[in-house]
Amino acid sequence: FNDTLGQTAAYYLGLNWLKLENKSFAYNAFGQARKMNFSIELQTKSTLEYLKLAIQLKDFKEAIEIAKEAQNKFKWKESDRVL
């Protein structure tokens, strides 16, 4: 679904895949949720989870691109660092 419900579902699906320790499926779910613009909060959270998983899955090129994109889009500052 390409609406708020779809974004919410994709985000929570990602969280559940993490609980089941399936990082690849979680990565895909967060990737879908982060591309939707219905909830900035879910988009931000999904992007952060996606970024963390990109690093864990050793997709460093993607991680660097997402980090740069997110820093500009969400105005993340050095004090917001979580990695």
Side-chain angles (χ1 to χ4, degrees):
F1 300 177
N2 196 14
D3 56 15
T4 305
L5 180 60
Q7 186 178 22
T8 303
Y11 175 74
Y12 283 101
L13 183 61
L15 291 178
N16 283 310
W17 282 123
L18 282 180
K19 287 181 184 179
L20 294 172
E21 298 181 11
N22 191 326
K23 292 180 182 180
S24 295
F25 283 22
Y27 184 68
N28 289 332
F30 289 127
Q32 289 179 345
R34 75 176 202 84
K35 292 178 184 175
M36 297 181 195
N37 297 313
F38 302 104
S39 167
I40 190 71
E41 180 181 355
L42 285 179
Q43 191 177 43
T44 304
K45 288 180 177 182
S46 296
T47 299
L48 183 58
E49 293 298 331
Y50 185 81
L51 176 58
K52 289 192 282 188
L53 285 167
I55 293 167
Q56 291 174 11
L57 295 170
K58 299 184 184 338
D59 190 354
F60 299 119
K61 183 178 179 183
E62 178 74 0
I64 291 168
E65 289 177 22
I66 295 304
K68 288 178 182 178
E69 174 190 308
Q71 186 174 18
N72 292 330
K73 183 171 187 167
F74 303 119
K75 307 299 183 218
W76 289 348
K77 304 177 293 283
E78 184 69 22
S79 60
D80 295 335
R81 277 178 53 188
V82 293
L83 299 178

